[in-house]
Amino acid sequence: MNVAEAIATRTSCRAYLDTPVPEATVRAILKAARRSPSGGNLQPWHVHALTGAPLGELLAAVRAKLPLNPRGEDPEYVIYPPELWEPYRSRRYTCGEDLYATIGVAREDKLARLRQFARNYEFFGAPVGLFFLIDRGMGPPQWADLGMFMQSVMLLAREHGLDTCPQEAWSVWHRTVCEFLGVPPQLMLFSGMALGYRDPEAPINRLRTERAGLEEFARLRGF
Ligand SMILES: Cc1cc2nc3c(=O)[nH]c(=O)nc-3n(C[C@H](O)[C@H](O)[C@H](O)COP(=O)(O)O)c2cc1C
């Protein structure tokens, strides 16, 4: 698989087979992703990978808390600007509508939407859950570095026949997750990521999100 194929076939996968992912594969992906660039070579990423019993334990802890607190814990960072403006607002709306359409959930069916959203906290059935953390003192440039590292992980996963879904949704359970992982207080949770083998039959995995044309975001001169 070349880079273009890895990019073209990477989609956010929201249903997985229960086929386990070998530890050697997870290690190989994370090891290769270390070559991601970072300003000043800070390498500001911290990763925790869970499978099997520890993953089950964490998911059970969150499952027990969800009904009492569906919004999770006090957020540590704001995921989207409060009043999104165009064109971002419409893009977000379309992505949500297209996602729920794949599983036949109507806009008014809030309960079904919530139920689907809560699948985030099961890593959508993936056998591996990854967590990406960063030092609290780091700023936007280092957050961008972490994003590049995550993209490397996602593309390398494709090379191993695996799929992923990055999940900011996990950030609202930062207390529970960080306590479970035993991470020092100077680290904060940015995102989770499901990792596993795609369920090729699952309708939700048919979603192919749109992208703006080149002319909408790029200006080329002097060619
Ligand atoms: C940093 C990051 C966090 C995301 N968080 C979530 C999430 O919590 N739950 C989810 O279902 N999708 C999440 N997504 C997936 C996006 O919705 C998805 O990337 C976007 O709609 C484009 O679709 P594609 O990944 O299938 O190309 C996240 C993506 C990124 C990059």
Side-chain angles (χ1 to χ4, degrees):
M1 177 175 282
N2 63 33
V3 179
E5 283 164 349
I7 290 176
T9 60
R10 186 219 55 81
T11 60
S12 292
C13 175
R14 297 183 179 88
Y16 292 84
L17 303 177
D18 52 17
T19 316
V21 180
E23 179 183 347
T25 306
V26 177
R27 282 188 184 277
I29 290 172
L30 295 176
K31 217 169 159 186
R34 293 178 307 161
R35 298 308 309 177
S36 304
S38 57
N41 200 21
L42 260 56
Q43 307 162 64
W45 37 78
H46 296 260
V47 185
H48 285 247
L50 300 179
T51 194
L55 177 62
E57 240 176 85
L58 173 64
L59 298 191
V62 173
R63 200 179 305 127
K65 292 181 182 183
L66 256 176
L68 302 170
N69 200 359
R71 285 174 186 275
E73 297 152 347
D74 297 339
E76 285 218 282
Y77 68 91
V78 179
I79 295 185
Y80 301 107
E83 296 289 334
L84 261 187
W85 51 97
E86 292 301 337
Y88 312 110
R89 189 185 156 87
S90 294
R91 289 179 187 165
R92 186 181 174 200
Y93 179 87
T94 305
C95 162
E97 290 308 297
D98 291 352
L99 175 73
Y100 290 112
T102 62
I103 49 171
V105 169
R107 181 147 193 83
E108 315 74 57
D109 196 347
K110 298 270 184 266
L111 194 66
R113 286 187 171 222
L114 265 179
R115 214 176 285 132
Q116 171 54 37
F117 184 76
R119 296 272 302 146
N120 269 291
Y121 306 118
E122 294 164 15
F123 280 112
F124 302 112
V128 177
L130 300 173
F131 290 104
F132 295 84
L133 302 100
I134 189 161
D135 274 82
R136 283 172 197 286
M138 296 298 183
Q142 291 78 41
W143 282 60
D145 297 338
L146 177 57
M148 288 184 236
F149 178 81
M150 289 173 66
Q151 172 77 332
S152 296
V153 168
M154 292 188 276
L155 298 183
L156 287 158
R158 289 304 303 126
E159 197 178 80
H160 288 268
L162 290 158
D163 276 280
T164 52
C165 184
Q167 296 179 264
E168 279 157 344
W170 273 105
S171 65
V172 304
W173 288 105
H174 60 97
R175 264 188 243 291
T176 304
V177 172
C178 288
E179 195 185 310
F180 184 88
L181 299 177
V183 299
Q186 72 267 22
L187 287 188
M188 68 181 278
L189 175 64
F190 167 50
S191 185
M193 185 187 289
L195 173 73
Y197 295 95
R198 166 185 301 259
D199 178 350
E201 307 298 331
I204 201 157
N205 284 341
R206 286 190 208 130
L207 176 66
R208 186 75 186 163
T209 48
E210 295 173 0
R211 293 294 188 274
L214 201 61
E215 65 288 351
E216 279 192 54
F217 69 92
R219 299 282 179 277
L220 280 70
R221 294 184 198 183
F223 290 95

